[in-house]
Amino acid sequence: MAISFTEENYLKVIHRLSEATSEDISTNAVAELMQTKAASVTDMLRKLAEKGWVNYQKYQGVRLSVEGEKIALSIVRKHRLWEVFLVDKMGFNWDEVHEIAEQLEHIESDQLINKLDEYLGFPKTDPHGDPIPNKEGILPELAYSHLSDIKATKTCKLMGVAQDSAVFLQLLTKLNLSLGAKLDIQEINEFDRSIFVSINDASPIFISHEVAKNILVKILA
Amino acid sequence: MAISFTEENYLKVIHRLSEATSEDISTNAVAELMQTKAASVTDMLRKLAEKGWVNYQKYQGVRLSVEGEKIALSIVRKHRLWEVFLVDKMGFNWDEVHEIAEQLEHIESDQLINKLDEYLGFPKTDPHGDPIPNKEGILPELAYSHLSDIKATKTCKLMGVAQDSAVFLQLLTKLNLSLGAKLDIQEINEFDRSIFVSINDASPIFISHEVAKNILVKILA
DNA sequence: AATAATTTTTAGATTAACCTAAAAAATAAA
DNA sequence: TTTATTTTTTAGGTTAATCTAAAAATTATT
Ligand SMILES: [Mn+2]
Ligand SMILES: [Mn+2]
Ligand SMILES: [Mn+2]
Ligand SMILES: [Mn+2]
């Protein structure tokens, strides 16, 4: 069945919200991420339900159907593969690729995306550490911790970020933080929960709790 | 000023028609290429004129303005660079790339297209031999001849095709005809204007006038 | 349990891009 | 130079996606 860019974006947003919770997704939550009004969302949810891509009963919130989930994952796959292409092959920085990928994710050609996947060497994660669903739409669970949840004196490795915004990513770059960076947590300040941390064995610096919340790490020791 | 995919496609079509003639372009000609109705074209021409991208007076036909020409050329540039990408990097055949490029040509990012250009080694022509406008929108005039216009006994080189359709390109592939092929014209039959020609020094075969009309060549001897 | 606040849906419009059918203008033929 | 044919435009509608304002349902608070 034919699908529009707008419908694809709705499915993607519902998918994103569903990852954070097992509850039904509210009209307002969708409206906020779609940057539109609740009334418009209601219209669209009815249409998506009609097409069988979501389960929706008015006033009860919305969930993706199996079919809807499949579509959403294929868009996520395209978005993240294109992000890898933009960084690895085109030489963009990780804070420059999200907006372009928002456009490229709607290009329709299974052949193209599978060839692209191969060309990129079947990457498992995108430039922000987010997992890339495979051809069958299976998303490897990576299960990383937020840096804000780690105790002092631990050593960990930066595996991803919980946010794609350019301002945030540019700040990380300024802090010399990129995928794979080694983090030695020296101390966590009780007052503002800021973290005193050594990055790649350099002299330690302070990182705010707000930033730490959006950094995903794997504990090494 | 914001531009829609549809508006971009109209400008591209008007540009294509303008290449073949110095006359004003008719509503019907645009309708045919856009696969839409004349009434819809009239609506759109008024809108494009409003935005300053075409010069249009009712019943008088349409021409691109300087600004419109610039936009059209930037879309042609994107289309052809993406086609090179699809063939050279993704491993598609020349008859598989046009439809995908129709989608990719609307991706908006000057940075991306210039990086892509560099990545591809600043190609001068696309996989069909069509010239690629440079960053400034300058389209190198290539001035090739149609194979159907060449006299017997001449030798020439296949430089491009006058049509992107998959059926046509697949036929050329079957005939072992691709960009750069050497053509020795043995004889032209008066009856049906078919051409008896040797391709890359193989034993000569017959090529219909219809096919020859869509093959662009450079005369070598 | 009644009332207040919040969330969600409906009602009614708007805009872009398209359509069909009819009218008007331009071009060709008699 | 009338008349016929073709081309183009106008008139009036449709569909997708959006909006604002008002009504209805749900949830939270006395
Ligand atoms: Mn992204
Ligand atoms: Mn990403
Ligand atoms: Mn093409
Ligand atoms: Mn081409």
Side-chain angles (χ1 to χ4, degrees), chain A residues 79 83 98 101-102 126 128 164:
Chain A
H79 182 102
E83 283 190 344
H98 182 75
E102 286 291 313
D126 82 1
H128 313 105
D164 280 357

Side-chain angles (χ1 to χ4, degrees), chain A:
Chain A
M1 195 185 304
I3 188 168
S4 69
F5 283 19
T6 306
E7 289 167 336
E8 290 192 340
N9 284 331
Y10 269 94
L11 293 178
K12 199 180 54 155
V13 156
I14 297 166
H15 177 263
R16 194 145 110 60
L17 291 166
S18 300
E19 281 184 317
T21 172
S22 60
E23 317 231 317
D24 290 5
I25 305 306
S26 75
T27 301
N28 265 350
V30 174
E32 192 182 340
L33 274 198
M34 282 297 298
Q35 307 203 79
T36 185
K37 294 300 152 79
S40 310
V41 174
T42 299
D43 281 352
M44 182 56 82
L45 293 185
R46 206 190 286 104
K47 196 169 83 167
L48 294 176
E50 197 102 339
K51 295 201 176 191
W53 296 329
V54 301
N55 298 115
Y56 165 68
Q57 314 225 79
K58 55 166 141 164
Y59 294 107
Q60 299 312 123
V62 68
R63 323 204 68 180
L64 290 178
S65 70
V66 172
E67 176 70 2
E69 174 90 5
K70 229 182 83 183
I71 297 170
L73 281 167
S74 92
I75 301 160
V76 169
R77 170 169 160 81
K78 288 191 279 182
H79 182 102
R80 293 181 181 166
L81 282 173
W82 281 116
E83 283 190 344
V84 174
F85 168 76
L86 293 169
V87 168
D88 286 10
K89 304 293 182 183
M90 294 293 102
F92 280 99
N93 298 317
W94 71 345
D95 59 298
E96 301 175 309
V97 297
H98 182 75
E99 290 309 313
I100 304 176
E102 286 291 313
Q103 298 181 59
L104 287 165
E105 71 190 3
H106 301 292
I107 301 295
E108 196 180 288
S109 168
D110 287 347
Q111 255 208 301
L112 170 57
I113 207 67
N114 292 332
K115 279 172 185 279
L116 183 66
D117 194 11
E118 184 185 353
Y119 186 64
L120 299 172
F122 304 106
K124 295 275 163 297
T125 59
D126 82 1
H128 313 105
D130 294 309
I132 299 176
N134 69 13
K135 215 184 292 196
E136 284 71 39
I138 290 163
L139 219 170
E141 275 303 322
L142 297 177
Y144 297 134
S145 315
H146 294 257
L147 177 60
S148 50
D149 296 332
I150 313 292
K151 299 272 178 288
T153 306
K154 292 273 182 198
T155 293
C156 40
K157 189 173 164 191
L158 200 163
M159 300 306 291
V161 291
Q163 216 195 97
D164 280 357
S165 79
V167 275
F168 173 63
L169 296 171
Q170 280 158 15
L171 173 55
L172 293 196
T173 303
K174 260 183 234 157
L175 295 171
N176 203 30
L177 278 171
S178 58
L179 242 50
K182 182 181 149 211
L183 298 166
D184 286 298
I185 301 179
Q186 315 281 334
E187 201 184 339
I188 299 166
N189 297 290
E190 207 186 328
F191 176 66
D192 62 354
R193 292 189 283 174
S194 66
I195 300 173
F196 194 54
V197 61
S198 160
I199 298 162
N200 292 325
D201 300 312
S203 46
I205 57 167
F206 288 100
I207 289 183
S208 74
H209 178 70
E210 197 57 33
V211 165
K213 273 199 299 189
N214 286 292
I215 293 178
L216 301 175
V217 297
K218 183 165 77 182
I219 299 172
L220 298 177

Side-chain angles (χ1 to χ4, degrees), chain B residues 113-180:
Chain B
I113 206 66
N114 291 333
K115 279 172 186 278
L116 183 66
D117 195 12
E118 183 185 354
Y119 185 64
L120 299 171
F122 304 106
K124 294 276 163 296
T125 59
D126 79 5
H128 313 105
D130 295 309
I132 298 175
N134 69 13
K135 213 183 296 196
E136 284 72 39
I138 290 162
L139 219 169
E141 273 305 322
L142 297 177
Y144 296 134
S145 315
H146 295 257
L147 177 60
S148 50
D149 295 334
I150 313 293
K151 299 272 178 291
T153 308
K154 292 274 182 195
T155 294
C156 39
K157 188 172 165 192
L158 201 162
M159 301 305 289
V161 291
Q163 215 195 99
D164 281 357
S165 79
V167 275
F168 175 63
L169 297 171
Q170 280 158 15
L171 173 55
L172 292 197
T173 303
K174 262 183 233 159
L175 296 171
N176 204 29
L177 279 171
S178 58
L179 242 50

